[in-house]
């Protein structure tokens, strides 16, 4: 009986190990494909031009391969999204953690997280067909495709990520810290801002950077509502194109496989991978650097 039990345990352990190993192999496979195709791309295009050229026209007769316009659009829409999601997400987290009753917290948090389950293509058409017409009535000169509308909608989409992770970090702060601050005469607001927030800083910072990574890698919202005009601009009222939207444009088009135009999607994908990798490393460093340990 004991031997049969041990055999079952070994089989389960092996299955779990293979599952973990497969995810590692898939990750390395993706990186290997990106690296190989990007290497082939840079055999034909100077990496200096790729990094500093201010024009991105690989599908035109006069070809330019400067990635800066795509990253300008990516970071512009990301900045708008974070300007919307950071304050709302943090305020929501503070309310749920410090002010809401346990029953209300249990009810509101799952409802808030439903926003994260909405398909991004729905958000994209919501930005194009609902938010953009409203903004055009409020902002003169706003183009039908722009970075403002998808940026706002991306911010709405990211709110649950920031609110949920930040609330979890704040909820984990020991009650003894709150009680000690209240005993010294602090108000509930002062306890929330000056005691709980600093104690939960590592988790909150990690949620912020995770939100940035989510916005940088968003595809469908910007592909639908931002346009397909790569330009080096900080004007949120005009059409732009992000790295992910360009990858979608070429992948779904008539670009022949193996051409320099086709290889641009791997170079763009690799550059995006490097950016998100460094963001995740910063998140990990912040979490490790500022983690508070309590007895």
């Amino acid at each position: 009986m004991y031997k049969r039990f041990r055999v079952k345990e070994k089989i389960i352990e092996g299955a779990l190990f293979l599952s973990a190993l497969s995810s590692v192999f898939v990750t390395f496979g993706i990186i290997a494909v990106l690296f190989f195709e990007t290497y082939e791309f840079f055999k034909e295009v100077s990496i200096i031009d790729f990094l500093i050229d201010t024009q991105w026209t690989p599908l035109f007769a006069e070809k330019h391969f400067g990635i800066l316009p795509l990253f300008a659009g990516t970071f512009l829409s990301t900045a708008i999204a974070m300007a919307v999601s950071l304050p709302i997400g943090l305020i929501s987290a503070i309310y749920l953690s410090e002010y809401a009753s346990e029953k209300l917290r249990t009810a509101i948090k799952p409802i808030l997280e439903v926003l994260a389950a909405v398909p991004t293509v729905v958000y994209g058409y919501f930005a194009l067909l609902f938010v953009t017409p409203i903004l055009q009535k409020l902002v003169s000169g706003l183009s039908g495709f722009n970075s403002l509308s998808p940026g706002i909608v991306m911010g709405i989409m990211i709110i649950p990520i920031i609110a949920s992770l930040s609330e979890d970090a704040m909820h984990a702060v020991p009650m003894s810290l709150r009680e000690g601050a209240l005993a010294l005469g602090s108000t509930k607001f002062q306890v929330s801002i000056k005691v709980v927030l600093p104690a939960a800083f590592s988790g909150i910072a990690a949620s912020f950077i995770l939100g940035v990574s989510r916005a940088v890698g968003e595809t469908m919202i910007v592909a639908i509502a931002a346009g397909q005009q790569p330009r080096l601009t900080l004007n949120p009222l005009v059409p732009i194109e992000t790295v992910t939207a360009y990858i979608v444009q070429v992948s779904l088009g008539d670009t022949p496989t193996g051409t320099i135009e086709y290889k641009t999607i791997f170079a763009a994908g690799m550059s995006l991978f490097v950016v998100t990798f460094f963001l995740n490393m910063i998140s990990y460093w912040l979490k490790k650097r500022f983690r508070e340990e309590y007895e």
Side-chain angles (χ1 to χ4, degrees), residues 55-228:
Q55 296 184 65
W56 179 261
T57 57
L59 305 180
F60 291 12
E62 184 180 350
K63 301 183 185 303
H64 291 271
F65 298 95
I67 197 68
L68 287 180
L70 294 184
F71 270 110
T74 298
F75 290 133
L76 178 58
S77 59
T78 298
I80 296 170
M82 300 316 293
V84 172
S85 61
L86 291 187
I88 297 177
L90 185 57
I91 291 171
S92 301
I94 293 173
Y95 174 75
L96 290 174
S97 175
E98 305 303 312
Y99 291 90
S101 64
E102 188 63 28
K103 182 181 292 186
L104 186 61
R105 174 180 177 269
T106 304
I108 289 180
K109 195 171 180 183
I111 296 174
L112 182 66
E113 292 175 349
V114 167
L115 287 172
V118 177
T120 56
V121 66
V122 175
Y123 279 117
Y125 282 107
F126 174 72
L128 178 64
L129 302 177
F130 182 79
V131 177
T132 297
I134 293 176
L135 291 177
Q136 285 179 322
K137 296 178 181 178
L138 301 175
V139 181
S140 61
L142 182 68
S143 172
F145 294 100
N146 56 83
S147 61
L148 182 61
S149 174
I152 292 173
V153 174
M154 273 199 299
I156 295 172
M157 181 189 66
I158 294 168
I159 287 173
I161 297 175
I162 295 175
S164 181
L165 295 179
S166 298
E167 193 276 335
D168 288 341
M170 295 170 66
H171 196 70
V173 175
M175 188 58 66
S176 58
L177 288 181
R178 297 177 175 86
E179 293 172 346
L182 290 171
L184 292 173
S186 300
T187 64
K188 198 165 188 176
F189 180 76
Q190 289 174 326
V191 172
S192 302
I193 300 301
K194 296 184 178 180
V195 176
V196 178
L197 277 182
F201 177 79
S202 63
I204 294 172
S207 73
F208 285 0
I209 297 178
L210 184 61
V212 173
S213 299
R214 181 70 179 82
V216 168
E218 173 53 37
T219 303
M220 292 310 300
I221 297 177
V222 289
I224 292 171
Q228 295 182 348

